Amino acid sequence: MRVQLARQLLDRQIVDVDGRLVGRVDDIAFAVDDEGYPYVAGLLTGQGALGQRIGGRVGRLLVAVADRFTDDPPVPPLRVPLASVARVDSAVRLRCRAADLPSSPVEAWLRRHLIERIPGSHRASG
């Protein structure tokens, strides 16, 4: 059976167990087991992963913009372990909450330097 991972996974939305959007599948992380067989280790999301996948000038621009919005570049992509994936249909559905995943450095920077400075932003619910 031949599986076309790129067609099945890339650019699909990643949704947590509560239906909240986590991001899109921007790339696929592979690993090699002890016997030398490759397997899917996880899914990558974020500007860094997308920029590396696209490549060229546009890809480098995406990575550079992401690096500008963080205190500690380069920005690593958010890695979603394959064990966290419940199923794949029109979206990649996770068996965990978005809060249980590592936070995006870009989102943390934007929250700290932009969102929190908006009057009333601390009263916004979840």
Side-chain angles (χ1 to χ4, degrees):
M1 178 167 122
R2 183 177 165 143
V3 178
Q4 295 183 354
L5 291 175
R7 194 172 274 171
Q8 293 294 321
L9 293 172
L10 291 179
D11 298 322
R12 290 199 191 254
Q13 291 185 339
I14 303 171
V15 180
D16 78 353
V17 72
D18 296 324
R20 292 184 183 209
L21 181 64
V22 173
R24 286 190 179 271
V25 178
D26 293 315
D27 208 351
I28 302 167
F30 291 92
V32 178
D33 68 12
D34 294 337
E35 297 177 14
Y37 293 104
Y39 65 93
V40 176
L43 307 176
L44 304 176
T45 185
Q47 297 87 343
L50 181 59
Q52 289 176 3
R53 184 179 112 206
I54 291 174
R57 282 185 165 178
V58 173
R60 286 191 302 273
L61 179 64
L62 282 171
V63 171
V65 168
D67 285 347
R68 295 281 297 175
F69 290 108
T70 185
D71 295 324
D72 189 24
V75 176
L78 173 63
R79 183 177 294 264
V80 178
L82 197 60
S84 298
V85 176
R87 71 181 189 279
V88 177
D89 48 35
S90 62
V92 175
R93 312 232 178 237
L94 302 180
R95 58 177 96 247
C96 64
R97 290 191 164 92
D100 297 336
L101 297 170
S103 64
S104 162
V106 173
E107 285 185 30
W109 189 94
L110 289 170
R111 186 175 300 112
R112 194 169 51 254
H113 294 283
L114 183 67
I115 304 298
E116 289 179 355
R117 294 180 183 199
I118 298 171
S121 66
H122 296 288
R123 292 191 304 260
S125 61

